[in-house]
Amino acid sequence: MNPQEDIYVEAFPTGKPAGKKTEVKKEDKTRGYKLACLILSVLCLILLLLVIFLSTKPQTGSHFCPENELRPIPPTCSLENCQTLYNLPSNKRACQHCDEDWLPFGGSCYFLSTFRLSWSGSQKDCNDRGGSLAVIKSPEVQKFLSEESNLLYWIGLSQTNQTWTWVDNSRLQKSYWAENPGTGDCVYLFTDGHPEKNWIRKQCSAYTYFICQM
C-alpha cells in the first residue's frame, strides 16, 4: 500500500464517503418532521370535528329568557303578588290553583256547598276539607260571594257575649247587615240580596247551605 492509499483509508475508515452519511441523516430528520406534522394535522382535525359536534348538539338544559323577561319568583304565591310582579290586570286570577269545585278569588279558594248543615256542622265540614267557614273582610270578597248564587249560605261570623267574631278569632270590623237582619247568633249570606246589605242573623242550629274558604 502506497502512502496515497493510506491517506484515503484514514479519511474514509468505513470505506464509504462521509457525504452519504450526512444525506441519510437529513432524510431521517425529514421523515420525522413529516410524521410529526401528520400527527398534529390529525389531532387538529379531530379537535375541529369535536368543536363542530358540540356547537350543533341540541341543548337539553335550562332555557334562558331574554333579560327583559326574567322575573324573580316570589316566596309565596298570591293573586296580589302575581299582579304586581307581572303587571296583570285585576281580573286575572294568576298564580292560583284551587281543587275541583272550589272557586279562586283574592288569593283564596271558596267552596259553595250543595247540601245543608247547621252552623257548627258547616264549620266542621269546612275543617274536614282543610279550610273554614268564609271570612269576609273586604268589599271585593263580599261582592264576589254575593254574585255566585242566589241561596242562603252560612259564613264564618258568630256572636258570643254580644261580640261578633270571625272563625279566625278576629273581631268584626266591616259589616253588611240587611235592613231587617233578624235575630240569632250566627250569620248567613243572602246572595239574592244587595251585596251591601245581605247579612242575616239566624239561630246557629238552623240548617242551610254554607261557604268554605281555604
Side-chain angles (χ1 to χ4, degrees):
M1 181 179 297
N2 55 45
Q4 292 181 349
E5 292 178 350
D6 292 341
I7 293 171
Y8 182 83
V9 171
E10 289 177 359
F12 305 100
T14 60
K16 296 181 180 180
K20 292 185 178 181
K21 281 189 175 183
T22 303
E23 291 178 0
V24 171
K25 290 181 179 180
K26 287 182 178 180
E27 290 179 359
D28 291 340
K29 289 182 178 180
T30 302
R31 290 176 182 175
Y33 290 146
K34 289 182 178 179
L35 180 60
C37 290
L38 178 61
I39 294 173
L40 290 175
S41 298
V42 172
L43 290 176
C44 290
L45 179 61
I46 293 174
L47 290 174
L48 178 61
L49 293 175
L50 181 61
V51 170
I52 295 174
F53 172 76
L54 292 176
S55 63
T56 57
K57 184 179 179 182
Q59 300 297 322
T60 58
S62 301
H63 298 278
F64 294 95
C65 298
E67 184 177 355
N68 61 349
E69 293 183 4
L70 294 177
R71 295 289 189 274
I73 299 176
T76 58
C77 190
S78 68
L79 178 63
E80 291 77 9
N81 287 342
C82 287
Q83 287 173 352
T84 301
L85 185 61
Y86 296 99
N87 297 319
L88 296 174
S90 59
N91 61 347
K92 295 290 185 180
R93 296 174 182 177
C95 239
Q96 285 183 259
H97 175 74
C98 298
D99 294 337
E100 187 177 359
D101 298 329
W102 289 71
L103 304 175
F105 186 82
S108 297
C109 300
Y110 297 91
F111 172 78
L112 279 66
S113 75
T114 56
F115 53 93
R116 302 176 183 182
L117 291 173
S118 64
W119 190 91
S120 60
S122 300
Q123 172 66 355
K124 182 180 184 304
D125 187 87
C126 291
N127 289 338
D128 293 340
R129 296 174 187 272
S132 67
L133 282 172
V135 175
I136 302 174
K137 295 185 178 180
S138 72
E140 292 77 16
V141 173
Q142 167 70 12
K143 184 174 184 295
F144 169 74
L145 295 178
S146 298
E147 294 176 348
E148 286 303 317
S149 183
N150 58 354
L151 301 175
L152 305 175
Y153 295 93
W154 286 126
I155 58 176
L157 183 63
S158 62
Q159 179 180 232
T160 303
N161 297 327
Q162 298 183 342
T163 300
W164 290 100
T165 308
W166 293 103
V167 290
D168 63 359
N169 295 322
S170 61
R171 290 193 175 187
L172 176 64
Q173 300 294 328
K174 172 68 174 176
S175 61
Y176 303 91
W177 298 113
E179 292 182 359
N180 297 305
T183 59
D185 292 329
C186 292
V187 179
Y188 61 64
L189 184 73
F190 181 34
T191 56
D192 195 31
H194 193 281
E196 292 294 326
K197 299 179 180 181
N198 61 2
W199 286 7
I200 299 177
R201 298 171 58 176
K202 194 71 174 178
Q203 295 298 323
C204 300
S205 58
Y207 274 56
T208 190
Y209 303 99
F210 55 92
I211 302 176
C212 297
Q213 178 180 355
M214 181 169 57

